[in-house]
Amino acid sequence: MEPLHLHEDRYFPATPSVRKIARDLYEQTKDLPIVSPHGHVEPRILATNESFPEPTSLIIIPDHYVFRLLYSQGIPLEKLGIPTRDGTPVEEDPRVIWQRFADHYYLFRGTPTGTWLDHEMAEVFGVQHKLDGDSAMHVYKQINKQLESPDFRPRQLFDDFGVEVLCTTDAATDSLEHHQKIRNSDWGGTVLPTFRPDALFDITDPDWPDRIDDLCERCGMTVDDYGDFIDALEDRRAFFKSMGAVATDHAVLRPWTQRLSEAKANRIFQAALRGDADEEDKRHFQAHMLMEMARMSTEDGLVMQLHPGAYRDHNRYICERFGTDKGGDIPIRNEFTENLKALLNAYGNEPDFTLVLFTLDESAYARELAPLAGHYPCLQLGPAWWFHDSIEGMLRYRRRTTETAGIYNTAGFNDDTRAFCSIPARHDLSRRVDANYLSKLVSRHVIDMSDAREMARTLAYDLAKETYNLE
């Protein structure tokens, strides 16, 4: 079995003098607390504080970053234990699945997923051998033994990782019972909900009437028209804020915004209640509701996050057989300047409004996003996201946005992960990549070392706290 060794200078520049600068900058940030203002860790994990499951259920089955690449090489999801929607049997032996994963672990070489997994195995679980077909069961047993220890319970790991605050992502109709359980416990960790109402804006979805019923139940009110709907959303936002929420989260295919008259919004809403709304109605309603979410944020102070550009569940077969979020989400081209004009002209100059904008379309960084963020006071650019939260993706993001927007119009880093044990790996990668980027500016005398040290800390810690009002 080959040893697993994480080089202390990984991801730093190859030139020795510049690498030394990067190492110095990284040393200033590597032990800073982790601020995770956007992610998808289940709050239940920290509410119950139960032991994690065995390695396959922890690392492979819930993580589409992992199984989508295996599927791309012809490995059926059934053989990876991914549950089917109709209950058709799939592989249930976790050791068989882990062996298959290890046999194909070479696929992750050079990818961010491989980077995170290697860090997680070495730094979190103390694995000392590279994962491959020969070491599979040895590594499995070692991780499994660690998971059985009280030191690897979720709350203990939260503290050991140095997480200062973790924000989850929660449906607008969620009871937040797990958050309440955390608040009522004697544990001191800070876990905050995030308000995500997307499902309530998808008025053509067959399940939309049930979601409206859930909204009515949560609010204790009837929703018979558009005005009632707005009242109910404001009620839910107030509840989330009372539970510590600092932000909302919205995912759309295209970031189109427009203001409808209240009469037109109500006509569309009534059509949806009758089951008569079509795709064009949904498009207009979603664009209008982004305006409403911005308006509400100017009033209640919740930071608005917008994630456009993911064509969800592109692979129809996989979606129909296994459900949503199974690795079939693909980036599309997007336009921001015209699409966001209505929202930015209405609220972009408001002093109490913050919009964190993400993109999967890298071509928009320098052309539109950096100029927009470099002008509108409300706008902060979210970090490189999803397919681009990688070594090269993060560097491209910095290179294409900093000259126009600077770093202070960006939102720092967030890990955007469901995989709890990968959180420190993702933040470590970001801190190393930013040290890499800044070291090159120092070496070219664009900034001096004093500036670089301050910027490194700002990127690793301060910006996230400031953007999301976590001070």
Side-chain angles (χ1 to χ4, degrees):
M1 295 185 290
E2 287 191 60
L4 173 60
H5 174 63
L6 302 183
H7 198 285
E8 63 179 359
D9 288 336
R10 58 192 183 278
Y11 324 132
F12 293 161
T15 304
S17 59
V18 187
R19 184 168 64 241
K20 183 177 183 299
I21 297 171
R23 187 187 306 135
D24 186 323
L25 294 172
Y26 171 69
E27 287 294 322
Q28 307 291 314
T29 63
K30 68 183 181 68
D31 295 323
L32 287 172
I34 288 174
V35 176
S36 179
H38 172 69
H40 302 277
V41 170
E42 290 288 338
R44 174 191 56 78
I45 293 172
L46 291 155
T48 62
N49 199 34
E50 296 173 350
S51 297
F52 285 109
E54 48 74 38
T56 296
S57 299
L58 175 66
I59 294 173
I60 302 173
I61 292 176
D63 194 343
H64 62 74
Y65 279 99
V66 173
F67 60 71
R68 75 184 305 272
L69 193 59
L70 299 172
Y71 180 75
S72 76
Q73 287 289 303
I75 301 172
L77 295 187
E78 292 88 343
K79 292 189 175 182
L80 297 171
I82 310 303
T84 55
R85 298 180 72 176
D86 62 4
T88 303
V90 300
E91 180 59 66
E92 295 184 357
D93 188 332
R95 293 173 182 255
V96 170
I97 298 169
W98 185 267
Q99 183 67 56
R100 188 168 288 128
F101 169 55
D103 288 340
H104 295 86
Y105 192 67
Y106 64 89
L107 296 174
F108 297 96
R109 292 170 182 164
T111 71
T113 303
T115 295
W116 301 328
L117 288 169
D118 283 349
H119 182 113
E120 186 176 342
M121 290 185 195
E123 298 295 326
V124 177
F125 296 110
V127 172
Q128 297 178 342
H129 299 93
K130 284 186 178 181
L131 182 63
D132 56 28
D134 293 334
S135 68
M137 286 303 104
H138 175 82
V139 172
Y140 180 93
K141 291 175 183 177
Q142 183 174 353
I143 295 176
N144 200 40
K145 183 177 180 181
Q146 297 278 46
L147 291 173
E148 293 172 352
S149 165
D151 291 339
F152 282 78
R153 292 285 182 92
R155 292 181 183 178
Q156 185 61 54
L157 287 178
F158 185 103
D159 295 338
D160 291 346
F161 292 164
V163 179
E164 184 173 306
V165 59
L166 174 72
C167 296
T168 63
T169 301
D170 312 271
T173 53
D174 196 296
S175 69
L176 302 187
E177 60 180 300
H178 297 304
H179 283 276
Q180 188 63 60
K181 186 172 183 178
I182 293 170
R183 287 163 68 96
N184 292 342
S185 73
D186 58 2
W187 177 56
T190 301
V191 183
L192 307 177
T194 298
F195 179 79
R196 186 160 188 171
D198 292 358
L200 294 171
F201 302 162
D202 190 358
I203 59 176
T204 60
D205 190 286
D207 294 329
W208 185 75
D210 294 334
R211 293 168 185 156
I212 293 297
D213 289 342
D214 291 341
L215 180 64
C216 293
E217 182 179 349
R218 291 284 178 233
C219 296
M221 61 191 296
T222 58
V223 176
D224 294 327
D225 59 25
Y226 170 73
D228 293 339
F229 181 61
I230 293 299
D231 289 343
L233 288 173
E234 290 177 337
D235 180 85
R236 293 303 294 165
R237 288 174 67 114
F239 172 66
F240 269 67
K241 191 170 181 180
S242 74
M243 293 292 291
V246 295
T248 70
D249 189 51
H250 311 274
V252 292
L253 184 62
R254 300 190 185 281
W256 181 44
T257 58
Q258 69 159 3
R259 170 70 70 189
L260 298 178
S261 68
E262 187 164 345
K264 184 171 183 179
N266 190 48
R267 284 198 297 273
I268 292 175
F269 191 80
Q270 294 296 334
L273 289 176
R274 297 191 303 270
D276 295 334
D278 58 23
E279 287 299 313
E280 189 66 10
D281 289 330
K282 181 176 80 169
R283 178 172 174 266
H284 283 275
F285 190 73
Q286 288 180 329
H288 173 74
M289 289 311 301
L290 289 180
M291 296 287 288
E292 280 294 278
M293 292 296 100
R295 176 189 65 79
M296 292 181 195
S297 284
T298 66
E299 296 172 1
D300 62 23
L302 293 180
V303 173
M304 182 177 177
Q305 299 176 104
L306 184 59
H307 293 76
Y311 192 120
R312 305 284 179 176
D313 306 308
H314 191 273
N315 189 329
R316 181 178 299 177
Y317 164 75
I318 290 296
C319 182
E320 291 177 351
R321 182 158 175 74
F322 298 95
T324 60
D325 297 322
K326 295 299 182 290
D329 298 348
I330 309 298
I332 64 166
R333 290 191 301 272
N334 246 319
E335 191 280 335
F336 294 88
T337 305
E338 287 292 337
N339 279 330
L340 287 175
K341 184 176 181 180
L343 187 152
L344 291 174
N345 271 266
Y347 305 110
N349 303 296
E350 293 288 335
D352 297 325
F353 176 49
T354 298
L355 172 63
V356 181
L357 183 60
F358 297 80
T359 185
L360 289 171
D361 180 6
E362 287 190 317
S363 68
Y365 281 158
R367 184 184 68 245
E368 296 181 73
L369 296 181
L372 285 169
H375 172 72
Y376 281 98
C378 76
L379 195 56
Q380 298 286 105
L381 296 185
W385 165 51
W386 201 350
F387 287 99
H388 308 306
D389 50 359
S390 60
I391 301 166
E392 297 302 324
M394 290 176 181
L395 284 172
R396 289 194 298 270
Y397 169 77
R398 290 281 172 235
R399 289 167 182 152
R400 295 176 185 179
T401 62
T402 301
E403 285 188 328
T404 303
I407 69 165
Y408 296 93
N409 285 313
T410 66
F413 179 70
N414 62 60
D415 46 75
D416 190 35
T417 185
R418 289 175 173 81
F420 178 73
C421 291
S422 75
I423 288 175
R426 293 169 188 247
H427 285 262
D428 183 75
L429 175 62
S430 174
R431 293 171 184 189
R432 287 177 178 274
V433 170
D434 283 337
N436 180 335
Y437 172 72
L438 294 171
S439 70
K440 293 176 182 177
L441 295 185
V442 172
S443 70
R444 291 158 45 213
H445 307 292
V446 177
I447 58 176
D448 62 24
M449 197 63 183
S450 174
D451 290 337
R453 289 194 179 100
E454 184 176 335
M455 292 168 75
R457 177 192 166 87
T458 298
L459 289 167
Y461 180 72
D462 295 336
L463 280 173
K465 292 194 70 173
E466 294 167 3
T467 299
Y468 290 88
N469 301 315
L470 292 167
E471 295 299 327

